[in-house]
Amino acid sequence: MNAFLNGTFLPLADAKVSALDRGFVFGDGVYEVVPVYSKKPFRLDAHLSRLQASLDAIRLANPYGIAQWREWVLKLIALQDFPDQSLYVQVTRGAPAPGQPLRDHAFPATPSPTVFMFAQPLVVATSRQKAAGACAITVADDRWLRCDIKAISLLANVLLRQRAIDAGCAEAVMLRDGFLTEGAASNIFLVRDGVLVAPPRSNLMLAGITYDVVLELAAAHAIPHEVRAIPEAEVRAADELWMTSSTREIMAIVKLDGVPVGAGVPGPLAQRMDALYQTFKQQVMRA
Ligand code: PDD
């Protein structure tokens, strides 16, 4: 399995970074996860521009221009021997230069970022898993107030997702001050009376690339939809609840805190949106 580290392609097992890397010591870095179908990246430019936004937010200069990123991402994809991939991209503020303090919260005077990428097989849900749907629990969103940054410091998300796993579920649906934010590693949509509803982009959630695709497809296919704040009561009264992400695509949540969502099976709009998403994906991949 091939990886990329600071301009070099190498076997993943040979990719080594300093133990003083600020990604390791402080969680000081940002990342992306890009889905790849039949060796073609899906919405790569959107992922690269979100990476740029994350880098801007943490005040770290992008080590590469867009053309260079594209070239290296495509090369890494081509080097793998499996067609459907989940491509991980990480940029950290790197290790301190010789002579600098070994650990110092303050930015190094001249940061030397670490860029690391690897791909693993993308395992999308089977039709049986889609038909069964997933279960979720609600949790208090106790993360910081810059959830719009795709930061590698994911401790809160990890702890919340693990609570869902411990409860035998797939995802934790987060509520902050009585309103829906997102999932531990996904965005959340709901359907009520045939209307698709999503929370608005803000500093309290990550604007998912899949979230954008779903809203674009809803607009293109005249599916009634609203983007607005969603109170907890609406989450609990939803006819349908979905989680969306690059790796999970559109997955219906059929049980929330042990209570069936709507009819307790994936709803008609989830099925329709999944079909639209699959068709859209095929079109993009053929182009
Ligand atoms: N996570 N919100 C959070 C907190 C996420 O971690 C993710 C994705 C999303 C959905 O974003 P997108 O549609 O761009 O994948 C929303 C990735 C997949 C991960 O951390 O593995």
Side-chain angles (χ1 to χ4, degrees), residues 31 33 50 150 157 182-187 206 208-210 245-246:
Y31 77 105
V33 178
R50 187 172 64 184
K150 204 160 170 58
N157 303 62
E182 60 181 334
S186 63
N187 289 113
L206 182 80
I209 307 298
T210 323
S245 80
S246 292

